[in-house]
């Protein structure tokens, strides 16, 4: 089982310019205090940015890997469906930076905001 299956993350849209994920919150995503674990926001952000970044790599011998992530937890989440949207800030030859927002489905207020930087590396070195 991979991370997306284990956490129940669904890829609903993906392109070189936008990736959208959805995830229904379950007990496994929560801290003991019944608030979503902050690491979930970071997992969603890096997953969405990685999918988009890899779509921007044209050769089959390279892959985008995360080198930096900054996540700001803006509002606590207790239940519902999270929607994560990633869009590129800069797509360079070897470095890409993506901005990622997560919010509850049907709500405009973000629950987290992340910046993810990824680097193109040869598969031989991964």
């Amino acid at each position: 089982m991979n991370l997306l299956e284990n956490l129940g993350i669904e890829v609903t849209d993906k392109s070189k310019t936008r990736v959208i994920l959805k995830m229904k919150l379950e007990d496994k995503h929560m801290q003991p205090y019944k608030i979503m674990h902050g690491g979930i926001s970071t997992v969603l952000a890096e997953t969405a940015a990685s999918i988009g970044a890899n779509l921007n790599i044209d050769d089959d011998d390279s892959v985008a890997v995360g080198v930096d992530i900054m996540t700001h937890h803006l509002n606590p989440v207790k239940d519902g469906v999270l929607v994560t949207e990633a869009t590129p800030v800069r797509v360079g030859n070897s470095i890409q930076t993506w901005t990622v927002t997560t919010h509850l489905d049907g709500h405009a207020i973000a629950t987290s905001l992340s910046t993810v930087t990824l680097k193109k590396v040869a598969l031989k070195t991964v």
Side-chain angles (χ1 to χ4, degrees), residues 25-62:
L25 284 172
E26 301 176 29
D27 285 343
K28 63 184 170 185
H29 303 121
M30 301 299 186
Q31 297 178 3
Y33 312 107
K34 299 298 180 193
I35 296 172
M36 184 186 73
H37 191 286
I40 296 296
S41 296
T42 304
V43 166
L44 289 166
E46 186 165 2
T47 299
S50 293
I51 290 169
N54 279 296
L55 289 172
N56 280 291
I57 295 177
D58 294 327
D59 67 80
D60 294 334
D61 297 326
S62 299

Side-chain angles (χ1 to χ4, degrees), residues 9-94:
I9 299 170
E10 176 188 359
V11 180
T12 61
D13 188 28
K14 63 180 180 176
S15 71
K16 292 182 175 187
T17 59
R18 183 175 80 162
V19 175
I20 298 177
L21 308 176
K22 284 191 175 185
M23 186 188 78
K24 183 180 183 328
L25 284 172
E26 301 176 29
D27 285 343
K28 63 184 170 185
H29 303 121
M30 301 299 186
Q31 297 178 3
Y33 312 107
K34 299 298 180 193
I35 296 172
M36 184 186 73
H37 191 286
I40 296 296
S41 296
T42 304
V43 166
L44 289 166
E46 186 165 2
T47 299
S50 293
I51 290 169
N54 279 296
L55 289 172
N56 280 291
I57 295 177
D58 294 327
D59 67 80
D60 294 334
D61 297 326
S62 299
V63 64
V65 297
V67 294
D68 186 61
I69 186 165
M70 173 76 66
T71 299
H72 301 279
H73 305 286
L74 305 173
N75 289 296
V77 182
K78 295 183 178 184
D79 61 7
V81 175
L82 291 174
V83 178
T84 298
E85 182 174 353
T87 56
V89 175
R90 169 94 164 86
V91 176
N93 187 41
S94 62

Side-chain angles (χ1 to χ4, degrees), residues 93-119:
N93 187 41
S94 62
I95 297 285
Q96 296 185 45
T97 301
W98 288 66
T99 186
V100 185
T101 58
T102 297
H103 59 87
L104 284 168
D105 198 10
H107 295 82
I109 299 171
T111 60
S112 69
L113 172 66
S114 301
T115 303
V116 183
T117 302
L118 306 104
K119 181 178 180 178

